PDB file of all heavy atoms in Angstrom:
ATOM      1  N   LYS U 832     -17.579   7.642 -20.166  1.00  0.00           N
ATOM      2  CA  LYS U 832     -16.901   8.535 -19.306  1.00  0.00           C
ATOM      3  C   LYS U 832     -15.596   9.173 -19.954  1.00  0.00           C
ATOM      4  O   LYS U 832     -15.273  10.286 -19.757  1.00  0.00           O
ATOM      5  CB  LYS U 832     -16.537   7.757 -17.976  1.00  0.00           C
ATOM      6  CG  LYS U 832     -17.651   7.390 -17.133  1.00  0.00           C
ATOM      7  CD  LYS U 832     -17.184   6.945 -15.833  1.00  0.00           C
ATOM      8  CE  LYS U 832     -16.549   5.602 -15.898  1.00  0.00           C
ATOM      9  NZ  LYS U 832     -16.199   5.134 -14.453  1.00  0.00           N
ATOM     10  N   LYS U 833     -14.966   8.316 -20.789  1.00  0.00           N
ATOM     11  CA  LYS U 833     -13.774   8.795 -21.384  1.00  0.00           C
ATOM     12  C   LYS U 833     -14.053   9.943 -22.413  1.00  0.00           C
ATOM     13  O   LYS U 833     -13.326  10.979 -22.490  1.00  0.00           O
ATOM     14  CB  LYS U 833     -12.978   7.633 -22.132  1.00  0.00           C
ATOM     15  CG  LYS U 833     -11.620   8.050 -22.621  1.00  0.00           C
ATOM     16  CD  LYS U 833     -10.931   6.644 -23.120  1.00  0.00           C
ATOM     17  CE  LYS U 833      -9.472   6.992 -23.419  1.00  0.00           C
ATOM     18  NZ  LYS U 833      -8.772   5.804 -23.941  1.00  0.00           N
ATOM     19  N   SER U 834     -15.125   9.824 -23.155  1.00  0.00           N
ATOM     20  CA  SER U 834     -15.586  10.769 -24.006  1.00  0.00           C
ATOM     21  C   SER U 834     -15.911  12.151 -23.352  1.00  0.00           C
ATOM     22  O   SER U 834     -15.575  13.210 -23.755  1.00  0.00           O
ATOM     23  CB  SER U 834     -16.720  10.423 -24.950  1.00  0.00           C
ATOM     24  OG  SER U 834     -16.431   9.185 -25.651  1.00  0.00           O
ATOM     25  N   ALA U 835     -16.670  11.963 -22.213  1.00  0.00           N
ATOM     26  CA  ALA U 835     -17.082  13.159 -21.491  1.00  0.00           C
ATOM     27  C   ALA U 835     -15.936  13.838 -20.888  1.00  0.00           C
ATOM     28  O   ALA U 835     -15.807  15.106 -20.970  1.00  0.00           O
ATOM     29  CB  ALA U 835     -18.025  12.689 -20.314  1.00  0.00           C
ATOM     30  N   VAL U 836     -14.963  13.156 -20.320  1.00  0.00           N
ATOM     31  CA  VAL U 836     -13.724  13.770 -19.834  1.00  0.00           C
ATOM     32  C   VAL U 836     -12.881  14.425 -20.907  1.00  0.00           C
ATOM     33  O   VAL U 836     -12.345  15.506 -20.666  1.00  0.00           O
ATOM     34  CB  VAL U 836     -12.892  12.610 -19.119  1.00  0.00           C
ATOM     35  CG1 VAL U 836     -11.551  13.149 -18.765  1.00  0.00           C
ATOM     36  CG2 VAL U 836     -13.600  12.244 -17.740  1.00  0.00           C
ATOM     37  N   ALA U 837     -12.813  13.757 -22.085  1.00  0.00           N
ATOM     38  CA  ALA U 837     -12.093  14.313 -23.200  1.00  0.00           C
ATOM     39  C   ALA U 837     -12.617  15.679 -23.520  1.00  0.00           C
ATOM     40  O   ALA U 837     -12.029  16.685 -23.885  1.00  0.00           O
ATOM     41  CB  ALA U 837     -12.070  13.473 -24.369  1.00  0.00           C
ATOM     42  N   LEU U 838     -13.991  15.786 -23.601  1.00  0.00           N
ATOM     43  CA  LEU U 838     -14.639  16.947 -23.933  1.00  0.00           C
ATOM     44  C   LEU U 838     -14.330  18.020 -22.925  1.00  0.00           C
ATOM     45  O   LEU U 838     -14.050  19.190 -23.244  1.00  0.00           O
ATOM     46  CB  LEU U 838     -16.141  16.762 -24.046  1.00  0.00           C
ATOM     47  CG  LEU U 838     -17.032  18.012 -24.379  1.00  0.00           C
ATOM     48  CD1 LEU U 838     -16.500  18.546 -25.783  1.00  0.00           C
ATOM     49  CD2 LEU U 838     -18.454  17.605 -24.444  1.00  0.00           C
ATOM     50  N   GLY U 839     -14.536  17.740 -21.614  1.00  0.00           N
ATOM     51  CA  GLY U 839     -14.263  18.654 -20.501  1.00  0.00           C
ATOM     52  C   GLY U 839     -12.886  19.110 -20.452  1.00  0.00           C
ATOM     53  O   GLY U 839     -12.537  20.267 -20.211  1.00  0.00           O
ATOM     54  N   GLY U 840     -11.925  18.134 -20.896  1.00  0.00           N
ATOM     55  CA  GLY U 840     -10.505  18.447 -20.895  1.00  0.00           C
ATOM     56  C   GLY U 840     -10.149  19.560 -21.870  1.00  0.00           C
ATOM     57  O   GLY U 840      -9.004  20.165 -21.816  1.00  0.00           O
ATOM     58  N   LEU U 841     -11.051  19.847 -22.817  1.00  0.00           N
ATOM     59  CA  LEU U 841     -10.692  20.919 -23.798  1.00  0.00           C
ATOM     60  C   LEU U 841     -10.810  22.290 -23.187  1.00  0.00           C
ATOM     61  O   LEU U 841     -10.209  23.298 -23.600  1.00  0.00           O
ATOM     62  CB  LEU U 841     -11.786  20.818 -24.921  1.00  0.00           C
ATOM     63  CG  LEU U 841     -11.729  19.688 -25.854  1.00  0.00           C
ATOM     64  CD1 LEU U 841     -12.861  19.672 -26.863  1.00  0.00           C
ATOM     65  CD2 LEU U 841     -10.378  19.517 -26.603  1.00  0.00           C
ATOM     66  N   PHE U 842     -11.464  22.312 -21.970  1.00  0.00           N
ATOM     67  CA  PHE U 842     -11.693  23.694 -21.290  1.00  0.00           C
ATOM     68  C   PHE U 842     -10.970  23.741 -19.942  1.00  0.00           C
ATOM     69  O   PHE U 842     -10.782  24.929 -19.554  1.00  0.00           O
ATOM     70  CB  PHE U 842     -13.166  23.813 -21.125  1.00  0.00           C
ATOM     71  CG  PHE U 842     -13.982  23.737 -22.362  1.00  0.00           C
ATOM     72  CD1 PHE U 842     -14.650  22.547 -22.716  1.00  0.00           C
ATOM     73  CD2 PHE U 842     -14.054  24.672 -23.335  1.00  0.00           C
ATOM     74  CE1 PHE U 842     -15.373  22.398 -23.862  1.00  0.00           C
ATOM     75  CE2 PHE U 842     -14.732  24.568 -24.587  1.00  0.00           C
ATOM     76  CZ  PHE U 842     -15.457  23.433 -24.752  1.00  0.00           C
ATOM     77  N   THR U 843     -10.708  22.611 -19.366  1.00  0.00           N
ATOM     78  CA  THR U 843     -10.066  22.759 -17.979  1.00  0.00           C
ATOM     79  C   THR U 843      -9.264  21.423 -17.749  1.00  0.00           C
ATOM     80  O   THR U 843      -9.491  20.420 -18.431  1.00  0.00           O
ATOM     81  CB  THR U 843     -11.010  22.973 -16.915  1.00  0.00           C
ATOM     82  OG1 THR U 843     -10.463  23.292 -15.672  1.00  0.00           O
ATOM     83  CG2 THR U 843     -12.008  21.836 -16.850  1.00  0.00           C
ATOM     84  N   ALA U 844      -8.485  21.451 -16.732  1.00  0.00           N
ATOM     85  CA  ALA U 844      -7.757  20.314 -16.272  1.00  0.00           C
ATOM     86  C   ALA U 844      -8.784  19.331 -15.671  1.00  0.00           C
ATOM     87  O   ALA U 844      -9.518  19.661 -14.768  1.00  0.00           O
ATOM     88  CB  ALA U 844      -6.654  20.598 -15.304  1.00  0.00           C
TER      89      ALA U 844
END
Side-chain angles (χ1 to χ4, degrees):
K832 289 192 292 183
K833 192 170 185 178
S834 298
V836 166
L838 180 61
L841 296 174
F842 307 99
T843 187

